[in-house]
Amino acid sequence: MLHDPAQLDLMFQALADPTRRQMVERLSRGPASVSQLAEPLAMSLSAVVQHLNVLEASGLVRTEKLGRVRTCQIEPKALGAAEHWINERRLAWERRLDRLGDFLAETKDET
């Protein structure tokens, strides 16, 4: 999943929605049923399930149905993939800015 651009696109698309980010935030504290996830949200259970389907398709959340209860939990590896992608970009920019700082320091000494 780490090097799959399509999967990364799905993750960031899923996280672009504030409701889904709220659900991920709740699940970061531990597993929850669909009903528990729906409690603080001002939407139907059906809408909550649609959001969960997006999160599940992105790989950020996995669900398991036991009897009539569907339990959701975060998928840490998926979050790690997104974090890795972001860190690679951050490190590249830090290196560029460091080189720029070095260049500016050298040219300041020359003038």
Side-chain angles (χ1 to χ4, degrees), residues 65-70:
K65 189 168 184 175
L66 295 171
R68 292 175 37 136
V69 178
R70 185 174 176 190

mmCIF file with all atom_site columns, all heavy atoms in Angstrom, residues 65-70:
data_model
loop_
_atom_site.group_PDB
_atom_site.id
_atom_site.type_symbol
_atom_site.label_atom_id
_atom_site.label_alt_id
_atom_site.label_comp_id
_atom_site.label_asym_id
_atom_site.label_entity_id
_atom_site.label_seq_id
_atom_site.pdbx_PDB_ins_code
_atom_site.Cartn_x
_atom_site.Cartn_y
_atom_site.Cartn_z
_atom_site.occupancy
_atom_site.B_iso_or_equiv
_atom_site.pdbx_formal_charge
_atom_site.auth_seq_id
_atom_site.auth_comp_id
_atom_site.auth_asym_id
_atom_site.auth_atom_id
_atom_site.pdbx_PDB_model_num
ATOM 1  N N   . LYS A 1 65 ? -18.271 -7.503  11.268 1.00 0.00 ? 65 LYS A N   1
ATOM 2  C CA  . LYS A 1 65 ? -19.644 -7.646  11.726 1.00 0.00 ? 65 LYS A CA  1
ATOM 3  C C   . LYS A 1 65 ? -19.765 -8.927  12.542 1.00 0.00 ? 65 LYS A C   1
ATOM 4  O O   . LYS A 1 65 ? -19.468 -10.012 12.076 1.00 0.00 ? 65 LYS A O   1
ATOM 5  C CB  . LYS A 1 65 ? -20.607 -7.683  10.541 1.00 0.00 ? 65 LYS A CB  1
ATOM 6  C CG  . LYS A 1 65 ? -22.048 -7.604  10.946 1.00 0.00 ? 65 LYS A CG  1
ATOM 7  C CD  . LYS A 1 65 ? -22.932 -7.351  9.762  1.00 0.00 ? 65 LYS A CD  1
ATOM 8  C CE  . LYS A 1 65 ? -24.362 -7.186  10.261 1.00 0.00 ? 65 LYS A CE  1
ATOM 9  N NZ  . LYS A 1 65 ? -25.270 -6.812  9.195  1.00 0.00 ? 65 LYS A NZ  1
ATOM 10 N N   . LEU A 1 66 ? -20.181 -8.763  13.783 1.00 0.00 ? 66 LEU A N   1
ATOM 11 C CA  . LEU A 1 66 ? -20.432 -9.895  14.674 1.00 0.00 ? 66 LEU A CA  1
ATOM 12 C C   . LEU A 1 66 ? -21.906 -9.830  15.073 1.00 0.00 ? 66 LEU A C   1
ATOM 13 O O   . LEU A 1 66 ? -22.313 -8.934  15.814 1.00 0.00 ? 66 LEU A O   1
ATOM 14 C CB  . LEU A 1 66 ? -19.541 -9.829  15.915 1.00 0.00 ? 66 LEU A CB  1
ATOM 15 C CG  . LEU A 1 66 ? -18.044 -9.957  15.668 1.00 0.00 ? 66 LEU A CG  1
ATOM 16 C CD1 . LEU A 1 66 ? -17.258 -9.650  16.932 1.00 0.00 ? 66 LEU A CD1 1
ATOM 17 C CD2 . LEU A 1 66 ? -17.710 -11.344 15.159 1.00 0.00 ? 66 LEU A CD2 1
ATOM 18 N N   . GLY A 1 67 ? -22.668 -10.743 14.542 1.00 0.00 ? 67 GLY A N   1
ATOM 19 C CA  . GLY A 1 67 ? -24.099 -10.708 14.792 1.00 0.00 ? 67 GLY A CA  1
ATOM 20 C C   . GLY A 1 67 ? -24.690 -9.487  14.110 1.00 0.00 ? 67 GLY A C   1
ATOM 21 O O   . GLY A 1 67 ? -24.524 -9.288  12.922 1.00 0.00 ? 67 GLY A O   1
ATOM 22 N N   . ARG A 1 68 ? -25.372 -8.662  14.891 1.00 0.00 ? 68 ARG A N   1
ATOM 23 C CA  . ARG A 1 68 ? -25.994 -7.455  14.337 1.00 0.00 ? 68 ARG A CA  1
ATOM 24 C C   . ARG A 1 68 ? -25.125 -6.216  14.523 1.00 0.00 ? 68 ARG A C   1
ATOM 25 O O   . ARG A 1 68 ? -25.490 -5.132  14.087 1.00 0.00 ? 68 ARG A O   1
ATOM 26 C CB  . ARG A 1 68 ? -27.339 -7.237  15.008 1.00 0.00 ? 68 ARG A CB  1
ATOM 27 C CG  . ARG A 1 68 ? -28.344 -8.297  14.641 1.00 0.00 ? 68 ARG A CG  1
ATOM 28 C CD  . ARG A 1 68 ? -29.635 -8.157  15.407 1.00 0.00 ? 68 ARG A CD  1
ATOM 29 N NE  . ARG A 1 68 ? -30.051 -6.781  15.627 1.00 0.00 ? 68 ARG A NE  1
ATOM 30 C CZ  . ARG A 1 68 ? -31.276 -6.343  15.482 1.00 0.00 ? 68 ARG A CZ  1
ATOM 31 N NH1 . ARG A 1 68 ? -32.217 -7.174  15.107 1.00 0.00 ? 68 ARG A NH1 1
ATOM 32 N NH2 . ARG A 1 68 ? -31.576 -5.090  15.729 1.00 0.00 ? 68 ARG A NH2 1
ATOM 33 N N   . VAL A 1 69 ? -23.978 -6.365  15.164 1.00 0.00 ? 69 VAL A N   1
ATOM 34 C CA  . VAL A 1 69 ? -23.126 -5.209  15.471 1.00 0.00 ? 69 VAL A CA  1
ATOM 35 C C   . VAL A 1 69 ? -21.935 -5.161  14.521 1.00 0.00 ? 69 VAL A C   1
ATOM 36 O O   . VAL A 1 69 ? -21.173 -6.123  14.404 1.00 0.00 ? 69 VAL A O   1
ATOM 37 C CB  . VAL A 1 69 ? -22.635 -5.261  16.939 1.00 0.00 ? 69 VAL A CB  1
ATOM 38 C CG1 . VAL A 1 69 ? -21.706 -4.098  17.237 1.00 0.00 ? 69 VAL A CG1 1
ATOM 39 C CG2 . VAL A 1 69 ? -23.815 -5.289  17.889 1.00 0.00 ? 69 VAL A CG2 1
ATOM 40 N N   . ARG A 1 70 ? -21.791 -4.032  13.878 1.00 0.00 ? 70 ARG A N   1
ATOM 41 C CA  . ARG A 1 70 ? -20.637 -3.801  13.000 1.00 0.00 ? 70 ARG A CA  1
ATOM 42 C C   . ARG A 1 70 ? -19.643 -2.938  13.771 1.00 0.00 ? 70 ARG A C   1
ATOM 43 O O   . ARG A 1 70 ? -19.923 -1.800  14.124 1.00 0.00 ? 70 ARG A O   1
ATOM 44 C CB  . ARG A 1 70 ? -21.098 -3.090  11.728 1.00 0.00 ? 70 ARG A CB  1
ATOM 45 C CG  . ARG A 1 70 ? -20.020 -2.921  10.704 1.00 0.00 ? 70 ARG A CG  1
ATOM 46 C CD  . ARG A 1 70 ? -20.623 -2.349  9.429  1.00 0.00 ? 70 ARG A CD  1
ATOM 47 N NE  . ARG A 1 70 ? -19.599 -2.080  8.456  1.00 0.00 ? 70 ARG A NE  1
ATOM 48 C CZ  . ARG A 1 70 ? -19.797 -1.415  7.333  1.00 0.00 ? 70 ARG A CZ  1
ATOM 49 N NH1 . ARG A 1 70 ? -20.992 -0.972  7.043  1.00 0.00 ? 70 ARG A NH1 1
ATOM 50 N NH2 . ARG A 1 70 ? -18.807 -1.204  6.509  1.00 0.00 ? 70 ARG A NH2 1
#
